[in-house]
Amino acid sequence: MGSRSEALSRASSRSSARRAEWGIALVAPTMRAIVVVQILLSVTSGASISVHAVAYWVLSLCVIAVSVLLMTQCLVTGTVRRGLWHGPDVLLAWIAIPAMNLLLPGSHVVGTWEAWASGFAINVAALAAAWMRPAVAVGHGLALGGWYLVWTSAAGTTSWETNLSNALTVPGYAAVVALLTYYLRALARDADRSREDAVAATRALELERYQLTVHDASSILRLLSDEDTPAEVLPGLRVQADREAKRLRTYLGAESAPAHPAVRTVGAMLATALEGFDDLPLEPAVALGAHVELDEDVWVAAGRAVTTVLHNVRLHARAHQVVVHADTDGETWEVVVSDDGVGFDQDSQPLGFGLDTQVGQALRDVGVSVDLRSAPGRGTSVTITGPVHEEDR
């Protein structure tokens, strides 16, 4: 029964949120690797023109070391949200901006990769947006961009327009990455919730299908196993048990489905449904509607519904008379199963699975209406009504 729901459960374990985190964790080291390569290509040249080559080398190597830690942890853990590199990465971005102004000639502070601080700051602000809350990440990007603007303006080597444009790049990338990662994670969470809902719905559907399949069979087995079941009831139960066993084997795929009559009439449906209920005080009166032909799905659903009603009568009604009546007015056909048993209070006693689902819902699903009336001490009547085919009219 659970093969489809189990498959969906296994699919649900491969979380969309987890896959989204992995995607971000693969992009982050790739972005940082590009910056590291650019720093490596220019670090020797930068050190050669720096006023303090050792300090320049130390700062560059610290950035490279933290970047290696970033790339390693992202690839090992599959997330950017956890990592020892968070604090040092942000701190180095803030230190590198004034350091470039102090260590390099003014002509190299803006627009060269010897002054790699601007490219590094943009990358840090963008990656921070993947592990900080979006509002915090954008605020950090604005602050870092402002810090960059202050120091490049102090250098006085380019116009304020150039400095402002470069500074705005930092929060711009932070905002873009913050929005993108927020959207991806929200989308992944929605996908996980939808998958969980699908698993729950499939399980509920399969449980209902299972209940529909075994409901009547369980009633038969209960009576067969009960030592108090009268001997005159057993032959009919064995006939019904054999029929249910064949139906269950068909459901499990062990046998092919039994062939239904070529002409599926109300009379043939009732003859099949009443088989094995010889222990009940049945009074069939079906001649008026017996000739009406039914679609196969209606024939099957109506037959199972009548069988379920009769099982309920056998188990609960303690009836002295059970009338099964069929009729037609040319437009509709009608089958009524009524007993003079103990009945029940419809207002205070809800319908069980058999009457509610296997009779009511199953028939409504094939376009057939059901009306059930009962009262304590006054028996129960179930009326099944369906349309007559145009050709039969």
Side-chain angles (χ1 to χ4, degrees):
M1 178 190 74
S3 58
R4 281 185 294 171
S5 61
E6 287 169 4
L8 280 171
S9 295
R10 287 193 296 270
S12 183
S13 67
R14 298 189 291 270
S15 166
S16 296
R18 181 62 178 158
R19 289 196 295 269
E21 283 302 320
W22 259 110
I24 296 168
L26 290 174
V27 170
T30 303
M31 292 173 62
R32 178 55 59 85
I34 295 171
V35 174
V36 169
V37 169
Q38 291 171 316
I39 292 174
L40 288 173
L41 290 174
S42 59
V43 67
T44 303
S45 173
S48 66
I49 61 173
S50 173
V51 297
H52 199 303
V54 174
Y56 185 91
W57 271 108
V58 169
L59 183 60
S60 300
L61 291 176
C62 286
V63 168
I64 292 170
V66 170
S67 298
V68 170
L69 179 62
L70 177 159
M71 291 184 279
T72 302
Q73 288 194 326
C74 284
L75 295 176
V76 171
T77 64
T79 181
V80 297
R81 288 181 161 176
R82 298 186 305 274
L84 299 174
W85 52 273
H86 286 176
D89 206 43
V90 171
L91 181 61
L92 285 171
W94 283 80
I95 292 173
I97 291 172
M100 292 297 109
N101 280 52
L102 299 174
L103 295 175
L104 294 176
S107 59
H108 285 74
V109 170
V110 178
T112 70
W113 265 99
E114 284 81 7
W116 43 258
S118 59
F120 179 63
I122 292 169
N123 187 264
V124 169
L127 296 190
W131 56 267
M132 291 179 176
R133 292 194 301 272
V136 175
V138 173
H140 171 256
L142 286 168
L144 190 58
W147 182 243
Y148 175 82
L149 179 61
V150 168
W151 282 95
T152 52
S153 298
T157 56
T158 55
S159 65
W160 69 269
E161 293 90 350
T162 300
N163 292 333
L164 180 60
S165 298
N166 290 340
L168 289 174
T169 306
V170 179
Y173 273 86
V176 169
V177 174
L179 290 172
L180 181 60
T181 53
Y182 177 81
Y183 173 75
L184 287 176
R185 285 167 176 154
L187 195 65
R189 288 193 298 270
D190 289 344
D192 285 338
R193 281 194 292 267
S194 297
R195 188 180 289 108
E196 289 168 3
D197 291 344
V199 171
T202 302
R203 284 176 176 163
L205 182 63
E206 291 189 347
L207 176 60
E208 182 178 304
R209 184 183 176 194
Y210 176 75
Q211 290 174 318
L212 285 169
T213 303
V214 303
H215 180 270
D216 290 348
S218 64
S219 299
I220 295 167
L221 290 173
R222 184 170 66 175
L223 289 173
L224 282 173
S225 63
D226 190 348
E227 294 180 355
D228 296 331
T229 300
E232 63 270 17
V233 179
L234 295 178
L237 287 174
R238 292 192 181 99
V239 171
Q240 292 173 339
D242 178 67
R243 185 171 63 192
E244 287 297 311
K246 291 177 180 177
R247 187 172 62 80
L248 288 174
R249 286 178 62 81
T250 299
Y251 173 75
L252 295 173
E255 289 183 2
S256 58
H260 296 145
V263 180
R264 293 178 289 273
T265 62
V266 169
M269 177 268 291
L270 290 174
T272 302
L274 270 56
E275 186 178 8
F277 288 102
D278 298 332
D279 56 295
L280 293 179
L282 287 171
E283 292 190 16
V286 302
L288 295 177
H291 63 281
V292 176
E293 294 188 17
L294 305 175
D295 292 334
E296 182 175 5
D297 56 347
V298 175
W299 194 88
V300 172
R304 293 203 64 193
V306 172
T307 299
T308 299
V309 171
L310 293 177
H311 278 302
N312 271 21
V313 172
R314 174 188 275 161
L315 289 170
H316 307 297
R318 300 197 295 274
H320 300 289
Q321 184 183 55
V322 182
V323 177
V324 180
H325 178 261
D327 201 351
T328 180
D329 60 5
E331 297 292 327
T332 60
W333 58 268
E334 180 181 87
V335 171
V336 182
V337 181
S338 57
D339 67 74
D340 61 355
V342 297
F344 62 94
D345 186 353
Q346 288 183 267
D347 295 329
S348 62
Q349 186 173 347
L351 297 180
F353 178 84
L355 292 177
D356 182 50
T357 303
Q358 192 149 328
V359 175
Q361 181 179 313
L363 288 173
R364 287 191 293 271
D365 287 345
V366 295
V368 176
S369 63
V370 182
D371 180 52
L372 188 148
R373 298 180 184 276
S374 185
R378 301 184 64 182
T380 302
S381 176
V382 179
T383 302
I384 302 171
T385 307
V388 174
H389 290 309
E390 185 68 30
E391 57 270 22
D392 290 338
R393 296 175 192 171

